[in-house]
């Protein structure tokens, strides 16, 4: 029986235990508090671009990973922090030769939608899951980070939304947008460039570190496991997989991320069912077997 099937709820696991909530950006620095995590997120960083396919690029630094499809129209996945808007627009122009036509948000978090307003004001059509528009239209709080995000003004809001899935046909590419049940948040989608064989996971996947799971947006570890299973079902050994944070990856590494999540979940589940307290569970080090590979982000395994 999988950990998901064992019956431990996301409220029990995440709100009361808080075990897996962790980093939002890859770093070798070990920080111990949500305030430090938020500060690190807001620092941004230099942007760099790399080519993934003939007309598909990755821009990293300054928030969540951004993908750029170039051609007759420019399609951009996510828009980083609002502190790097000018360098982001410059980097998009450098790789695409023109401004953004379509912006797709993988979810609502501030390090993935920070340049929405600027790109929307410049004429980009913004597309996202319907829950993303709902959350971006109202003030939001990420409880774990003690971070408040004010509602975006109209130019930064998605103008096309969907419930389950949406297909786009741009620049000779078939782009599949797929919503998953609450996982990192209740707004998550992944974006599959089928012809290029590249898939952007948003924050459904953190490569090389424990993930941040936003329980205040209905995220939970069971949903993270289920979303990884769903993505693993549509990729192959040659697919380039873009995580929300961390380097470009492949199917095997995503599978190890998924197995780590289920392993931690199972370890915590056993102790919760045995009546252990939060302090006892933390003291038992339920992540210990995974810490060498996944515990080197800026949040400590505890």
């Amino acid at each position: 029986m999988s950990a998901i099937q064992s019956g431990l709820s996301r409220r029990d696991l995440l709100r009361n235990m808080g075990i897996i909530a962790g980093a939002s950006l890859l770093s070798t620095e070990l920080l111990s508090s949500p305030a430090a995590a938020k500060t690190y997120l807001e620092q941004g960083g230099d942007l760099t671009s790399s080519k993934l396919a003939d007309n598909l690029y990755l821009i990293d630094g300054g928030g969540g990973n951004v993908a750029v499809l170039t051609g007759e129209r420019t399609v951009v996945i996510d828009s980083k922090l609002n502190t790097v808007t000018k360098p982001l627009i410059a980097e998009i122009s450098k790789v695409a030769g023109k401004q953004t036509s379509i912006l797709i948000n993988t979810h609502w978090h501030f390090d993935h939608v920070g340049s929405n307003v600027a790109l929307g004001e410049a004429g980009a059509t913004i597309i996202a899951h319907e829950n993303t528009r709902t959350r971006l239209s109202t003030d939001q709080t990420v409880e774990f980070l003690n971070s408040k995000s004010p509602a975006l003004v109209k130019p930064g809001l998605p103008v096309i939304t969907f419930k389950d899935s949406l297909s786009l046909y741009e620049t000779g590419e078939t782009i599949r947008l797929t919503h998953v049940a609450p996982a990192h948040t209740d707004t998550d989608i992944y974006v599959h460039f089928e012809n290029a064989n590249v898939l952007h996971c948003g924050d459904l996947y953190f490569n090389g570190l424990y993930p941040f799971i936003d329980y205040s947006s209905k995220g939970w570890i069971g949903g993270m496991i289920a979303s990884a299973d769903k993505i693993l079902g549509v990729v192959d050994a040659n697919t380039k997989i873009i995580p929300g944070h961390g380097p470009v990856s492949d199917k095997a590494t995503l599978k190890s991320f998924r197995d780590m999540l289920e392993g931690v979940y199972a370890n915590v589940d056993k102790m919760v069912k045995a009546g252990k307290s939060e302090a006892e569970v933390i003291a038992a080090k339920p992540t210990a077997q995974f810490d060498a590979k996944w515990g080197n982000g800026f949040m400590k395994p505890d």
Side-chain angles (χ1 to χ4, degrees), residues 86-130:
K86 288 184 178 179
L88 174 63
I89 291 173
E91 200 69 21
I92 292 170
S93 180
K94 184 174 79 173
V95 300
K98 58 184 69 175
Q99 67 183 25
T100 302
S101 301
I102 295 173
L103 170 63
I104 298 169
N105 292 143
T106 61
H107 63 294
W108 80 267
H109 279 160
F110 66 92
D111 56 323
H112 294 259
V113 304
S115 302
N116 269 34
V117 172
L119 294 175
E121 287 177 340
T125 298
I126 304 176
I127 302 174
H129 187 261
E130 59 189 21

Side-chain angles (χ1 to χ4, degrees), residues 205-211 225 228-229 232 241 249-264 289-290 293-294:
Y205 178 29
F206 289 65
N207 185 16
L209 69 162
Y210 289 133
I225 297 167
D229 284 335
L232 287 166
I241 301 176
S249 182
D250 58 18
K251 184 175 183 178
T253 309
L254 175 60
K255 177 63 163 58
S256 67
F257 173 78
R258 177 250 181 247
D259 291 345
M260 173 274 293
L261 292 174
E262 184 167 58
V264 173
Q289 70 198 88
F290 306 105
K293 183 172 183 178
W294 300 100

Side-chain angles (χ1 to χ4, degrees), residues 100-285:
T100 302
S101 301
I102 295 173
L103 170 63
I104 298 169
N105 292 143
T106 61
H107 63 294
W108 80 267
H109 279 160
F110 66 92
D111 56 323
H112 294 259
V113 304
S115 302
N116 269 34
V117 172
L119 294 175
E121 287 177 340
T125 298
I126 304 176
I127 302 174
H129 187 261
E130 59 189 21
N131 289 351
T132 297
R133 179 180 168 89
T134 297
R135 289 196 177 276
L136 292 179
S137 300
T138 57
D139 296 348
Q140 296 293 312
T141 300
V142 178
E143 184 178 323
F144 176 73
L145 299 177
N146 191 28
S147 172
K148 297 184 184 299
S149 296
L152 292 185
V153 296
K154 188 174 180 179
L157 296 176
V159 296
I160 296 175
T161 65
F162 61 96
K163 183 177 181 180
D164 297 316
S165 63
L166 181 70
S167 296
L168 304 177
Y169 304 91
E170 291 284 344
T171 315
E173 181 61 73
T174 298
I175 311 171
R176 307 289 188 194
L177 284 57
T178 304
H179 176 58
V180 298
H184 173 64
T185 68
D186 63 357
T187 68
D188 305 304
I189 67 169
Y190 62 82
V191 182
H192 192 190
F193 298 91
E194 290 189 343
N195 299 345
N197 200 15
V198 174
L199 190 145
H200 195 312
C201 293
D203 280 0
L204 295 171
Y205 178 29
F206 289 65
N207 185 16
L209 69 162
Y210 289 133
F212 163 54
I213 301 173
D214 184 7
Y215 54 82
S216 55
S217 294
K218 300 184 180 180
W220 76 300
I221 190 172
M224 291 287 286
I225 297 167
S227 69
D229 284 335
K230 191 169 184 176
I231 293 169
L232 287 166
V234 301
V235 299
D236 59 39
N238 297 315
T239 306
K240 293 179 181 178
I241 301 176
I242 304 172
H245 301 276
V248 174
S249 182
D250 58 18
K251 184 175 183 178
T253 309
L254 175 60
K255 177 63 163 58
S256 67
F257 173 78
R258 177 250 181 247
D259 291 345
M260 173 274 293
L261 292 174
E262 184 167 58
V264 173
Y265 192 9
N267 292 343
V268 174
D269 187 23
K270 291 175 186 176
M271 288 183 277
V272 170
K273 288 181 174 177
K276 302 293 184 182
S277 69
E278 177 180 339
E280 287 173 325
V281 174
I282 293 173
K285 305 294 183 185

